[in-house]
Amino acid sequence: MARLLGSWAFWLLLLALSLVRVVEVDAGEKAYLVLLPFQEIRVEFLNSVTGRPVLLEFRPLFRFQGFRAYTDPETEAYYTGGTYPWNQALAKERRRALLYCSELGLAVRVGERWFRAEGGCLGLRLLYP
C-alpha cells in the first residue's frame, strides 16, 4: 500500500510541476510569479507615433507564445508597413524573455497582478519550465 501511495504522490507531483510556470517581472524591482500555462499575460500601451492604444495578449505555455495584438488599422500599419497580417506573424513568435519599453508608459498584467512603467522598460522572463 505504501508503495502505491508513493507512486501516486510521485505522479501527482510530476503533474503539478508540469503545470507550473515561473515568470520573473523586472519593473525596476524584480517580482517572481507562479502561473498556470493557460493564464493570460497582457501588455497595454499607447503608440507614441499614432497616440492610439495597443493591447498584446499571450500565454506562458513552454515559451511566451500565442501572441495576439489589438489596435486600430493605422497603428497596425505603422508596425507592419501595411505589408503583412500582424497577428499571423505574431502567432509564430516563441520567446523566453521579453522587454517592453515606452516613452508614454505601459502596463503589464501577469496573472492577476499589474505592473507599470512610465517612460522606461519592463522585462518578462520565463524561468520555468
Side-chain angles (χ1 to χ4, degrees):
M1 185 65 158
R3 178 177 272 173
L4 181 62
L5 286 175
S7 174
W8 276 101
F10 170 77
W11 290 110
L12 286 174
L13 177 63
L14 193 61
L15 176 64
L17 286 174
S18 72
L19 293 175
V20 170
R21 304 296 184 260
V22 179
V23 177
E24 176 188 76
V25 180
D26 187 353
E29 292 185 26
K30 292 186 180 181
Y32 300 91
L33 302 166
V34 176
L35 300 176
L36 297 172
F38 55 81
Q39 283 186 280
E40 184 178 81
I41 299 173
R42 296 174 62 116
V43 178
E44 299 177 5
F45 60 93
L46 289 178
N47 178 284
S48 60
V49 174
T50 66
R52 304 271 173 74
V54 178
L55 167 63
L56 303 172
E57 295 177 338
F58 54 95
R59 289 178 165 65
L61 297 173
F62 294 100
R63 299 280 190 264
F64 294 127
Q65 60 193 79
F67 289 87
R68 185 120 179 101
Y70 303 92
T71 192
D72 65 285
E74 180 185 341
T75 303
E76 182 174 343
Y78 168 78
Y79 289 111
T80 66
T83 60
Y84 60 91
W86 197 14
N87 281 313
Q88 286 180 359
L90 286 173
K92 297 174 187 173
E93 292 291 320
R94 307 280 187 276
R95 303 288 174 148
R96 255 186 144 14
L98 299 166
L99 182 65
Y100 292 102
C101 300
S102 175
E103 296 172 8
L104 303 176
L106 61 98
V108 176
R109 188 183 82 196
V110 181
E112 298 303 317
R113 191 160 165 202
W114 283 95
F115 299 88
R116 297 190 189 316
E118 297 290 329
C121 298
L122 197 145
L124 301 170
R125 198 161 53 119
L126 187 58
L127 299 177
Y128 180 85

